[in-house]
Amino acid sequence: MRRSVVNCVLGIGFFAVAAAFLVARGSPPTGYEASIYAGTPTATWLGLGVAMAVAVAIALLARGLDQAAGIGLGGLSVTAIVALPAVRNYHFSGMGDALTHLGWTRDFLEGAMYPHELFYPGVHGIASALHLAGGIPVERALLLVVVALFVPFVVFVPLVVRDMTGDGAAVGFAAIAAWLVLPINNVATHMGIHTNSNALFLVPAVFFAFVAYSRRRADLEALPFGISPFGLLLLASSVALLLVHPQQMVNVVVVLAAICLVQFVSRRRSGNPAIAGHRTAYAHTLALGGLFVAWSLSNERFRDALSGLFYGLATAGVGAGSEVGQRGSSLSEVGGSLGELFVKLFLVSALIGGVVGLFVLLTWLGRTRVDSESRAFVTYFGAALVPLGAIFLVYFVGTPTMAFRQVGFIFVVITVLAGVALARGVGWLSGLVTTPGATAVAAAALGACLVLALATLFASPFIYTPTQHVTDAQVSGYDSAFEHGSEEIAYAGYGFGVTRYGQGLYGVERDQDRRYRATIAGTVEPDPFEAGAYGEAYPPDRYYLVVTEYDRVREHEVYDELHHSEEGLAELATDPAANELLSNGEVTLYAVEDR
């Protein structure tokens, strides 16, 4: 491509991103948004769409600095999407684990908990530093940490592939694969304040350190005592991963252990000469494995999780099978199906995973035209998928949520391999048609994949889950409800428990005696509630009921009144058993008792 054309196209792309950013920034939400996609102005999506189209074209067609600029444009565009909650000035985002993480951050700042007492203090520590150093509100600091931890993913995936192959086409495809954000599945990994998911985006930095360490000669770029700077980077990045979430650090150790086995066998059987020339990862694997054991066994939370896994493996009826069946039944009642949801959440992942799986198999059979260096790294990461898959099967039987978290890590590895696999696939296709034709087909297919993948990056009614947007009104409403209620009366939620909000407002470790923490389920029972027996819908027979706009949207619109109906809630307002105590438009508090 001519330099003037490339510069002009790139200029349009960067201008589109800037314009999209400014439009989004100038359109903050006025209340609760059921969908961040619908709430974000159309002009923002048009700008980001133009930028992504330019980025895909430049990443595939250009090379050198021009390609790097195109990759940077695409990475910036995807990061802008990830940053939408912060850009559009959400008060907070996330109503489950995110609120608990907010509470832990408050505990850090108030001295109720020290970082070493938490199993994964990385996200909370960074947010605390931003708050203390910059005066940023704690909620916003956490939203910014999500963005900061995402950036290494779009930066290091193409860098890993460049170091593996040196092939410009593979680098371009790797960048596009990273923009798909395949590790997020919205089953157990989420785009938001979710430390297990946030840790996934640091993994490519660890892989880059390993690849660089393996290929660099020991006598070059060495620190004193012959220490490799990339070896230190491998250790440092893994420690950072440990602090963000240890589960993903364990997976890294598993990957390194599989690589060590490949290196050991290859040296004994005179295998790939490139593997024989690589520096081994034996010492790093042992050091990181020992570090994880020392860190985890001293933490009660890890021991409880491990006990829960063993219990799940040993208990009949526990596992993913029953959970999938339950969700499938619920989906059918709201007009959806598991097949539809699979297409939305996993079709792109399945397609990319299929291409990668076929490529790895053909490479092992010697049916692909890759040099020995590239084949070595494909063998490394391909072999690592075997133990990672075995761990997934164990989780699948014992703790289904952990199984889908494992899927998230597996797709980090697949994303790295996808760059090489797609480049070779297009090379094969160009032999059937032409190189421009094969590239055009690949660009169109990947463009369609980008649309579907990014449309499911956040929770939304599109995947039968409303956006977990926490508004100022929700926070003030809950705060008033908690502070002005009687200490003798428990709290219940309308489909969503109140405990998480208590943790987010006041901290997890502080105020342990607050009554909203004593609740078990934390929500009213749908059957007696819908039957008008409001006093019987919660065990104490006398309780406070908190209803938010999020609850109404989820139960009445997204879930299509599967559990709660608008009529049932409307009748509550006129029932003698209930008294409305406060309402600010988004949070309503009722006092309910059996009469």
Side-chain angles (χ1 to χ4, degrees), residues 407-453:
V407 169
F409 186 91
I410 289 172
F411 272 97
V412 176
V413 179
I414 288 176
T415 298
V416 171
L417 291 172
V420 189
L422 291 171
R424 295 303 169 186
V426 170
W428 170 81
L429 183 60
S430 64
L432 301 179
V433 287
T434 62
T435 298
T439 303
V441 170
L446 289 173
C449 288
L450 278 170
V451 172
L452 180 56

Side-chain angles (χ1 to χ4, degrees), residues 383-396:
L385 291 174
V386 176
L388 292 174
I391 295 173
F392 162 77
L393 292 177
V394 173
Y395 284 147
F396 191 81

Side-chain angles (χ1 to χ4, degrees), residues 90 92-100 102 143 192-193 467-470 496 500-501:
Y90 273 26
F92 194 64
S93 180
M95 295 184 183
D97 288 351
L99 286 170
T100 301
L102 174 60
L143 295 179
I193 303 131
T467 296
Q468 295 189 348
H469 173 205
V470 179
F496 182 82
R500 297 282 199 173
Y501 266 97

